[in-house]
Amino acid sequence: MIATLGGPTLKGTIETLNRGSVVPAEILICIPLPEASRDIGFGFSNVRILQTMVRGQVAQRVEGFKHAEGPFVMQLDDDILLDHECVANLQATLQRFPGAAVAPNLLELESRESVYRIRHGDGLPRRIYNWLMNGKEGYREGTILKSGSPIGIVPEGCADGPLDVEWLAGGCVMHHKANLVLENYFPFGGKAYCEDMIHSHLLVRKGVRLLIEPRASCCLEVSPPLRRPPAAFLRETYRDFVVRRYYMKLSRRAAGRMYLYYFLLLFRYGYLWIAGKLGGDPASPGETKSGPKRLSD
């Protein structure tokens, strides 16, 4: 099930789904009515177009959940390219764990490295930063830090079995149909910042176990926020802040470290802008801001 506005990357996503070892019985394309006139089926017999009266990634996705058929439902962004065995491995994991939702290993399209690989080293400045963000526990893969920063997991070298995590990136997740969240849980317009943390929180509250399957992989292009021009960076950072503050209240987390995170992010961006060095990796490695591009309204 793909929530989309019908952009140019959608065809590649559908093609990789249909080239996999397990081909979905139905690929449900959830698209708002004004964009539904676009030719987005691409001639595939298993593609069904669902015209929605709502607009926005989460709202469209929820409509898709309501109309999905079959015991397994996979939510997918329209810029994800799946490996040949991705769907098969995700499905096999859910068959083993009826009370779980599972996501694949996310890889950067060109390098085929995990989008969450740390490139900042482990020196004293990084250890101090990790302490500020998460106290004595420091940097912990697969968790949401005390600052509200979602940290991804690099499953290389891990056991063959699935890995328990505190959150799942929303770009590719497979669910048991019985466990779906069928309410629009994103009370904001525009780009769906932090929606995967909110969704993960609601799934855990329903008793769903969150897993990463290392044997399943998919690819996407990354877009580091520190490469954006100042106006776009400030606009997106503010929207991210508003939604993350909502998540912190929803999950009953203290917000002090979250405010410190945004202060340090703005400070670093300002320093790089003044020094003419804009570009490079996100301020905090492993966060979803460096991951899939989100559907915009």
Side-chain angles (χ1 to χ4, degrees):
M1 187 276 299
I2 304 174
T4 185
L5 297 179
T9 60
L10 176 61
K11 182 177 181 180
T13 298
I14 296 174
E15 287 176 343
T16 60
L17 277 169
N18 280 319
R19 287 200 301 262
S21 61
V22 172
V23 176
E26 177 181 77
I27 301 174
L28 188 59
I29 306 298
C30 305
I31 187 167
L33 191 59
E35 283 79 19
S37 60
R38 299 179 181 178
D39 181 14
I40 59 174
F42 306 113
F44 294 107
S45 61
N46 60 344
V47 171
R48 177 161 70 99
I49 309 300
L50 175 64
Q51 300 178 7
T52 67
M53 301 301 295
V54 295
R55 182 184 177 93
Q57 185 182 47
V58 175
Q60 291 169 230
R61 181 185 296 159
V62 169
E63 289 302 305
F65 282 164
K66 293 176 181 178
H67 289 81
E69 300 177 358
F72 304 117
V73 179
M74 185 167 70
Q75 66 183 66
L76 196 63
D77 282 356
D78 62 5
D79 58 352
I80 298 287
L81 302 178
L82 294 89
D83 282 2
H84 187 260
E85 299 296 328
C86 183
V87 173
N89 286 323
L90 293 177
Q91 182 174 299
T93 300
L94 280 196
Q95 289 172 335
R96 291 174 56 199
F97 300 98
V102 62
N105 183 17
L106 293 177
L107 304 177
E108 200 278 325
L109 182 60
E110 292 186 4
S111 68
R112 296 286 298 185
E113 291 185 345
S114 171
V115 299
Y116 303 119
R117 182 176 296 281
I118 300 175
R119 296 176 175 85
H120 297 279
D122 192 32
L124 181 60
R126 177 55 50 180
R127 292 199 296 271
I128 293 174
Y129 177 83
N130 291 338
W131 179 80
L132 291 172
M133 294 298 100
N134 203 41
K136 62 181 180 180
E137 296 182 29
Y139 186 87
R140 294 180 57 214
E141 289 190 350
T143 69
I144 298 175
L145 304 186
K146 292 181 174 65
S147 62
S149 300
I151 301 300
I153 193 167
V154 182
E156 298 172 6
C158 298
D160 292 336
L163 307 171
D164 285 280
V165 293
E166 293 183 0
W167 70 286
L168 296 175
C172 181
V173 183
M174 187 177 287
H175 305 268
H176 290 278
K177 185 178 180 181
N179 296 336
L180 294 174
V181 177
L182 298 178
E183 300 82 29
N184 183 3
Y185 52 84
F186 192 76
F188 302 95
K191 200 172 181 179
Y193 295 96
C194 303
E195 62 83 14
D196 34 22
M197 292 197 300
I198 300 171
H199 194 194
S200 296
H201 172 77
L202 297 177
L203 288 171
V204 170
R205 199 163 68 180
K206 287 168 63 77
V208 176
R209 183 179 177 186
L210 307 182
L211 301 174
I212 296 291
E213 176 50 71
R215 299 173 302 165
S217 298
C218 61
C219 297
L220 62 151
E221 292 185 7
V222 297
S223 180
L226 292 184
R227 291 179 180 171
R228 294 176 175 86
F233 172 81
L234 292 173
R235 180 175 60 252
E236 294 186 14
T237 298
Y238 175 74
R239 292 176 178 174
D240 181 87
F241 165 78
V242 170
V243 181
R244 196 175 309 215
R245 182 176 57 184
Y246 170 81
Y247 164 78
M248 298 296 275
K249 292 180 180 179
L250 182 69
S251 59
R252 298 183 178 180
R253 292 170 175 253
R257 294 178 191 268
M258 182 199 73
Y259 289 106
L260 179 59
Y261 162 78
Y262 283 104
F263 172 79
L264 293 175
L265 178 63
L266 291 170
F267 178 84
R268 184 183 181 201
Y269 185 89
Y271 167 77
L272 293 174
W273 179 66
I274 293 172
K277 298 180 180 179
L278 287 181
D281 296 319
S284 182
E287 295 191 32
T288 54
K289 289 181 75 175
S290 63
K293 297 186 287 294
R294 299 299 179 195
L295 179 67
S296 300
D297 276 6

